[in-house]
Amino acid sequence: MYEGVIGSLIERLGKLPGIGPKSAQRIAFWILEAEKQDIDDLANSIVEAKQKIRFCNVCFNVSEEDLCRICRDPRRDLKIICAVEESKDVIAIERTREFKGRYHVLGGAISPIDGVGPDDLRIKELLKRLADGVVVEVIVATDPNLEGEATATYLTRLLLPMGVSVSRLASGLPVGGDLEYADEVTLGRAFEGRRRIQ
Amino acid sequence: MYEGVIGSLIERLGKLPGIGPKSAQRIAFWILEAEKQDIDDLANSIVEAKQKIRFCNVCFNVSEEDLCRICRDPRRDLKIICAVEESKDVIAIERTREFKGRYHVLGGAISPIDGVGPDDLRIKELLKRLADGVVVEVIVATDPNLEGEATATYLTRLLLPMGVSVSRLASGLPVGGDLEYADEVTLGRAFEGRRRIQ
């Protein structure tokens, strides 16, 4: 029903992930009514991000330079690498301030259904980083779902023979959650991984 | 946690209606991975919409020219005006193909809580359109919620003394809902069964 400029705006907004036709329409009309400066800034940000953002040469995290902020930081421990699926996961882990090593962004997880095999991930690049023997531990922090577990298992098999210690993030009850709402698998894992208090 | 270009992109996306921080992050990473052409098209659409879209001089519907497509159409009945809150509502009603008259976009509804009074709506402009006596009926198609009903009541009081017939969309619209989300059949029925107010 929408034609011309507004029609193509709605159509293009509708291609964004998680934006259906109604949301696209809502955003389009919001754009028409917003301050011109805000809209120009938004459009510039979109183009600029596309132009300037690339991937770190070492860890493949998003970066505006050859090396990302974390790989450039001399205070980060070179002996530990945390392998994650996406750059988003790097941010999530950084927020905890628990991890002082460096990262390796795999670019996804093994998923035969989606046609993603080990060769589609940056696994070779990870192995290369281990070649000089500096790294002593790899934490495999892929998602705790089917694809993430499969990727972790695959990686573990490759990494153990190289003499590095391999670990996986603990599964268990989310802090602040209710025990009664935990699913069976999570609760089972929480039992398995229980820590003795004394 | 996000810095530089990607940080400002996420921040700006997060200002869009219905987009929270997580969605903004998801869209930002989608943009980084999408085809450059698609992203340029999206950014251009946003800027172009802002530049080219204005409001119809007669009915205040969104338009790329002085007169909107509907006001330019000589086949539309000049004797009936359908008053709606937003341009989105025009599209919703057009989709039903029930209405052959013209529109008047009020620009919102009376809402004391949001500080929107009758003077903030394009009511004077509607009364002006009735001055020459051509229009014989005004269908008040404001949303079937508190603000929409208040606006309809206010309009009815102004319009009836001018000798035009005033009607309101029939029930069939879910009370408390938004007109723009009604499906075509419901909205079509509502047009068919519109009740004359006096």
Side-chain angles (χ1 to χ4, degrees):
Chain A
M1 282 310 297
Y2 290 95
E3 288 162 10
V5 175
I6 185 99
S8 61
L9 175 60
I10 291 173
E11 192 199 316
R12 280 163 185 166
L13 288 170
K15 287 184 188 167
L16 297 176
I19 306 292
K22 287 283 174 190
S23 307
Q25 182 182 300
R26 196 170 158 211
I27 294 172
F29 279 99
W30 180 88
I31 286 172
L32 296 184
E33 281 158 32
E35 292 292 322
K36 191 173 180 319
Q37 188 57 50
D38 287 349
I39 298 310
D40 287 345
D41 286 350
L42 174 65
N44 286 339
S45 274
I46 291 172
V47 173
E48 208 185 2
K50 193 69 192 162
Q51 281 168 346
K52 290 201 183 162
I53 302 279
R54 37 192 167 150
F55 296 103
C56 172
N57 286 347
V58 171
C59 74
F60 302 94
N61 189 9
V62 289
S63 175
E64 290 175 46
E65 301 178 42
D66 284 347
L67 286 186
C68 75
R69 190 173 48 85
I70 295 167
C71 287
R72 281 200 312 269
D73 187 344
R75 288 163 305 175
R76 305 295 297 224
D77 189 346
L78 292 168
K79 295 197 292 296
I80 312 183
I81 287 180
C82 178
V84 295
E85 294 181 19
E86 311 281 356
S87 290
K88 286 175 266 203
D89 303 327
V90 172
I91 302 292
I93 294 171
E94 283 296 284
R95 226 178 272 136
T96 69
R97 297 168 197 270
E98 285 282 337
F99 179 65
K100 295 295 168 214
R102 300 213 274 173
Y103 292 92
H104 190 83
V105 180
L106 295 166
I110 296 170
S111 170
I113 284 181
D114 301 319
V116 180
D119 292 342
D120 299 312
L121 306 179
R122 298 185 194 108
I123 291 177
K124 263 179 232 147
E125 290 84 347
L126 174 60
L127 300 182
K128 239 181 246 169
R129 290 179 69 183
L130 303 179
D132 60 6
V134 171
V135 174
V136 296
E137 181 178 1
V138 175
I139 303 172
V140 183
T142 49
D143 284 342
N145 56 24
L146 203 68
E147 293 80 14
E149 296 288 356
T151 311
T153 307
Y154 182 88
L155 272 182
T156 305
R157 270 189 216 147
L158 284 178
L159 295 174
L160 282 180
M162 300 182 77
V164 290
S165 160
V166 179
S167 56
R168 186 100 178 85
L169 293 189
S171 286
L173 298 176
V175 176
D178 263 0
L179 194 143
E180 56 172 317
Y181 293 128
D183 63 278
E184 300 89 357
V185 181
T186 305
L187 200 50
R189 289 277 171 82
F191 261 86
E192 257 177 62
R194 66 188 181 272
R195 290 164 305 136
R196 216 176 139 177
I197 287 173
Q198 211 189 33
Chain B
M1 283 306 298
Y2 290 95
E3 289 163 11
V5 176
I6 185 97
S8 62
L9 174 60
I10 291 175
E11 192 198 317
R12 279 161 186 167
L13 287 169
K15 287 184 189 166
L16 297 175
I19 306 292
K22 287 280 173 193
S23 309
Q25 182 182 301
R26 197 171 156 209
I27 294 173
F29 279 99
W30 180 89
I31 286 172
L32 296 184
E33 280 158 31
E35 291 293 321
K36 191 175 179 315
Q37 189 56 51
D38 286 350
I39 297 310
D40 287 345
D41 286 350
L42 173 65
N44 286 339
S45 273
I46 290 173
V47 174
E48 208 184 2
K50 193 68 193 163
Q51 280 169 347
K52 290 201 183 161
I53 301 281
R54 38 192 167 149
F55 297 103
C56 172
N57 285 349
V58 172
C59 75
F60 301 96
N61 190 8
V62 289
S63 175
E64 291 175 42
E65 299 177 43
D66 284 347
L67 286 186
C68 75
R69 190 173 47 84
I70 295 167
C71 287
R72 280 201 311 270
D73 186 344
R75 290 163 303 178
R76 305 294 298 224
D77 189 345
L78 293 169
K79 295 198 292 296
I80 312 183
I81 286 180
C82 178
V84 295
E85 295 181 19
E86 310 280 358
S87 290
K88 287 175 268 203
D89 303 327
V90 171
I91 301 291
I93 293 169
E94 284 295 283
R95 226 179 273 135
T96 70
R97 296 167 198 273
E98 285 281 338
F99 179 65
K100 296 295 170 215
R102 301 214 273 172
Y103 293 92
H104 190 85
V105 180
L106 296 166
I110 296 170
S111 170
I113 284 180
D114 301 319
V116 180
D119 292 342
D120 301 311
L121 306 179
R122 299 184 194 107
I123 291 177
K124 264 180 233 149
E125 290 84 346
L126 173 60
L127 300 182
K128 240 180 246 168
R129 289 179 70 183
L130 304 179
D132 60 6
V134 171
V135 174
V136 295
E137 180 179 2
V138 175
I139 303 172
V140 182
T142 50
D143 284 342
N145 55 23
L146 202 68
E147 294 80 13
E149 295 290 354
T151 311
T153 306
Y154 182 87
L155 272 181
T156 305
R157 272 190 216 146
L158 283 179
L159 295 173
L160 283 179
M162 300 183 76
V164 291
S165 161
V166 179
S167 55
R168 185 99 179 86
L169 293 189
S171 59
L173 294 178
V175 175
D178 263 359
L179 194 145
E180 57 170 315
Y181 292 118
D183 68 276
E184 296 90 327
V185 180
T186 308
L187 199 50
R189 292 272 168 81
F191 256 84
E192 264 175 57
R194 66 186 183 272
R195 292 163 301 138
R196 214 176 140 177
I197 287 173
Q198 211 190 36

